[in-house]
Structures are given as structure tokens and as C-alpha cells.
Amino acid sequence: MSAPDTDTLFAPASGFGRAAVAVIRVSGPAARDVLIALGGGVPAPRRLSLRTLRDPADGRVLDAALVAFFPGPNTYSGEDMAELHLHGGLAVRAGVLAALARLPGCRPAGPGAFTRRAVLNGRLDLAEAEAVADLIDAETEGQRRQALRQLDGALSRQVAAWRAEAIDCLAGAEAALDFSDEGDVDDAGLDAALFGRAEALRGAIAAALADGRRGERLRDGFFVVLAGAPNAGKSTLLNALARREVAIVSDVPGTTRDAIEVRLDLGGLPVVLVDTAGLRETDEAIEVAGIGRTRARIADADLVLALVPPDGAAPDLGAAGARTLTVRTKGDLRPGSTEGGLTVSARTGAGLPALLDAVRLEAEAGLGAGDALITRTRHRAALEAALAHLDRLLAGAGRALPELAAEDLRLAVRALGEVGGHVGVEDVLDRLFAGFCIGK
């Protein structure tokens, strides 16, 4: 662990720009002194009180504000905190921030500084802190539900239970190692029980990992690639679904050279539509590069919409691993058509609701309802490491040698501890909180 930071931090906790109210958050040992210096006193804990804020340097009035004091350790950061609820003008906020910067022991907070202190003070574990970031970034209902579930400790509680079981198994292995020459330790019976528990633990972790990466995909979005020949109607369909002019539409083949992404909220799920370069044989260098990117996006997609124009055939998608839906475009040019499946017209809007419903159902099947246990690559990597150590324990010489069994279990315990930041926390703190907003 690095040396503790004893400065008192302050930062706006509300959005920047003109607003009705601006909230400034203060956290640290001088939080009480800040209220005395600016407001002349400390209100009753956890109660808003009207105060005239003055600049301690010259006594001039800064604002009439509501202030609150929250004594630690039962606060968000685990230390004394204060809040200043100001009028939301830019000059008001700037004046108060400048006064705070002049107070002894106070400094502006960096990104995620308050949540970082919450982790270091034991108010949140690392997985819960990541959930705070996910909740702030949530754009859809499904992402919000998933983030709240993680913030409530869904992953942390499960991993803690797995870790406790691994520690119990480790204690058994170490007992066999330390007391193997004692008459009251039955090596064979102990080994059978230990490996049975380790196998059950291994199965539980493996089951959690076999989730199709639903949690990570819900955070990032369900990617739907529009693929087809030039002039199949990809860009026109993208604009119609996005309800705005996102992509350039032209009768000239090969207009789209690079992928264009549009994010949609379908039934509370994040869906990313990707317009791509038309698939065809060409010698034009830039278009060839665009087609190469199209095939790469098709390979990585969650769903591919294979667009078929009235006078064309289904596109050659190559080695597409995702599910594919065939969509017949330009339905207004197919009078009296009896073709089955999805037929749409971006010009008239016919078939678009059915297409969106079909995409939503695919997204629901792929992402779930925000109930995934694993939501980040870091979680998955730690659990996969624990699983690898348990696999080695169950398959290797550890069944005969307690020394090896104890080492594999010790490494599994460590890997599980990395999920909540019980070990190796300094390795990820800087990277995690760099992505937070100021004031959180």
C-alpha cells in the first residue's frame, strides 16, 4: 500500500456549466474546519443548514448556500465530509473553489478521488467501486440494473464465499502438511474431503464463467453489423433506424469506406448499429481496405443483418460467427412481393418496427436482463486464474503431495482476492480511477 493521503479534497460533485444548484463535495480531516472558515460554524450532522459563505481571506460574501456535515467513518469516503449546495452560476462556483484552494491542507480532487478513498478506507471493495463507474456511465435501463446489482455486492458476496471455501481447503492442506506425522491426522480421509470440496468449488466458478460474457457485453453494447453489397440500402437503413442523418447516402457504389456506429436504446438494452463498406470485388485500394474492415466487424459482431436489395442476392459474409438475419431492403420497390422473412422500406418506414423488435429479442437473448455476475474483463481474468489453479490441483501431483496442493490453493485464494481488491489493489487503482469523473 502507498502512504495514506491526509489532504482534504474538494471538487464539484454536480455537472459543469450553468445550473440552478451546484454541489461541492469536501472530504478529509479538515472538512469541519472548512465549514467553520467559510460558513462560520458546523451544522448538526446530516442536516442541511442555510449559511452565508465568506472568503476567509477578506471576508467578502461568496454566496448564500445550504451546507451539510457528515462525520466519518459512516460516510461515502469513510472520513469526515461536507457538502456546499451553491447557486449554480459559474462565477459563484469559481469563487468558492478558489477560496477552498487557499485553505491549509485542502487541494482539488482528481478523477475518482472520493471513491478511491472509499476503497482504501474499506467502505467499498474494488468490484463495488467499478460498479460506481458503471452506474455513472449507464445509458440504458439494463446497464443501470447491472451496475446497481454490482454496487449492492452481488459479485463481491459470491466471490467472498468462494474465497472463504478456498481458504478452508487451504487450511486442510496445510494441516496435512504440518501435522502429517501426528497420529490423529488421517491423510487419506482428509485428502478425499479436501479434493471433493475443491472440485465443487471449481465447478461453481466454471459455471459462472460459462455465461457468454453477458455482463461485459451489456456494458459495451450489443453490436449489430449491417452488411451487404454496395447500394443494398445499408446507410439509408442506418439513418432510418437512428432517426437522423448519420451516414452519407449516395447512388455511387462504394461511398461508405469505414464503419459508422450509432448507439440505440432498445427495451433498456444498449445496441450499437454499425454501417459498413459494401461487399464486392474491387481493385480500388481504399475500398479494399474498407471491405477488409467490414469483414473484421462481421467476425466480431453479435448479430449481422444481411441486407438483400430487390435485384441482388444475399451477401457472402465469409466466416461470420454471429447470428445472421436476412433483411430484404427497399420494400417499396417490391410491389406484390410474397417473400417471407423481414422486408423493410427505409423510405416509407414499413417493416422497421418488426426489424427493431427482432434485434431487441436477439439482444435480450445475448445480454440478459442485467443479472450477470461477471461484468468486467478484470473479474473474468481473476476467476479464470483461480480456475486454472484449481484445475492443476485436481489433475496434478497435489493429490499425493500436500505441498503442491497447498500452493495451488494459496494461488487460487490470491486470484479470488484480486476481484475485490483484497490483494494487488495498488496494481489497478490508478488505472480504474483515471476513468472516473472529477467529484466522484
Side-chain angles (χ1 to χ4, degrees):
M1 281 288 188
S2 59
D5 181 2
T6 58
D7 286 345
T8 294
L9 307 178
F10 65 88
S14 52
F16 289 88
R18 182 173 177 269
V21 176
V23 178
I24 294 178
R25 172 179 279 178
V26 181
S27 180
R32 181 186 292 270
D33 296 335
V34 165
L35 291 175
I36 294 173
L38 269 66
V42 181
R46 294 178 171 80
R47 295 189 64 180
L48 286 170
S49 180
L50 181 62
R51 292 285 193 274
T52 298
L53 302 185
R54 298 178 181 273
D55 190 333
D58 55 17
R60 64 187 176 91
V61 175
L62 297 170
D63 193 20
L66 292 172
V67 304
F69 176 66
F70 306 93
N74 295 321
T75 61
Y76 180 77
S77 66
E79 53 193 10
D80 285 354
M81 297 188 70
E83 286 186 358
L84 311 176
H85 294 237
L86 314 171
H87 291 90
L90 299 179
V92 173
R93 184 173 58 204
V96 173
L97 290 173
L100 286 169
R102 290 191 290 269
L103 293 177
C106 292
R107 65 174 174 85
F114 299 105
T115 305
R116 184 186 188 114
R117 287 195 173 181
V119 172
L120 296 176
N121 291 328
R123 297 293 293 171
L124 298 172
D125 70 15
L126 200 54
E128 291 166 341
E130 289 167 330
V132 173
D134 289 344
L135 189 59
I136 292 171
D137 292 336
E139 298 177 335
T140 69
E141 178 66 14
Q143 290 173 323
R144 182 189 68 83
R145 284 196 301 266
Q146 177 167 282
L148 283 174
R149 188 167 179 267
Q150 294 293 59
L151 183 57
D152 190 47
L155 175 64
S156 300
R157 286 190 298 272
Q158 181 60 78
V159 173
W162 288 337
R163 187 166 181 258
E165 178 67 2
I167 290 172
D168 283 348
C169 291
L170 174 60
E174 290 181 336
L177 179 62
D178 294 340
F179 305 109
S180 58
D181 56 347
E182 299 292 333
D184 57 350
V185 176
D186 183 355
D187 287 348
L190 179 62
D191 284 348
L194 184 151
F195 286 106
R197 294 174 66 183
E199 191 163 3
L201 175 60
R202 186 257 176 225
I205 295 174
L209 288 168
D211 63 353
R213 298 181 179 267
R214 290 185 295 122
E216 296 103 307
R217 292 163 68 197
L218 181 56
R219 288 182 66 247
D220 297 335
F222 186 81
F223 280 79
V224 180
V225 170
L226 281 62
N231 289 345
K234 299 182 298 299
S235 298
T236 304
L237 180 60
L238 180 76
N239 291 342
L241 295 175
R243 297 184 179 180
R244 65 182 193 274
E245 294 297 318
V246 178
I248 296 174
V249 176
S250 171
D251 292 334
V252 178
T255 301
T256 302
R257 302 297 182 91
D258 207 349
I260 300 173
E261 296 184 358
V262 174
R263 301 186 72 88
L264 300 181
D265 181 344
L266 291 186
L269 298 175
V271 173
V272 183
L273 299 178
V274 185
D275 184 19
T276 59
L279 298 171
R280 67 169 177 173
E281 295 295 328
T282 179
D283 295 326
E284 205 277 316
I286 297 178
E287 190 175 356
V288 167
I291 292 171
R293 294 186 180 186
T294 295
R295 296 207 178 277
R297 297 306 293 263
I298 289 173
D300 293 337
D302 295 305
L303 175 68
V304 178
L305 301 184
L307 272 55
V308 181
D311 56 350
D316 177 12
L317 300 180
R323 278 184 51 78
T324 301
L325 290 180
T326 299
V327 180
R328 296 176 180 85
T329 58
K330 307 181 183 182
D332 52 300
L333 301 180
R334 300 172 185 261
S337 173
T338 59
E339 296 170 308
L342 291 169
T343 299
V344 301
S345 170
R347 184 186 301 275
T348 66
L352 295 185
L355 175 59
L356 288 173
D357 282 343
V359 172
R360 177 181 55 78
L361 290 174
E362 293 287 342
E364 287 177 352
L367 304 182
D371 56 351
L373 188 67
I374 304 167
T375 61
R376 286 182 175 246
T377 301
R378 188 186 68 83
H379 307 159
R380 189 171 298 277
L383 293 177
E384 287 175 345
L387 188 69
H389 295 309
L390 292 172
D391 282 339
R392 189 170 64 179
L393 165 72
L394 295 167
R399 289 185 177 274
L401 297 175
E403 296 93 335
L404 297 180
E407 181 62 16
D408 283 329
L409 286 167
R410 190 175 296 111
L411 292 172
V413 168
R414 179 178 179 83
L416 291 170
E418 290 176 357
V419 176
H422 300 293
V423 295
V425 64
E426 288 293 342
D427 296 337
V428 294
L429 280 179
D430 290 338
R431 185 168 63 252
L432 167 62
F433 293 118
F436 270 60
C437 55
I438 300 291
K440 193 60 181 176

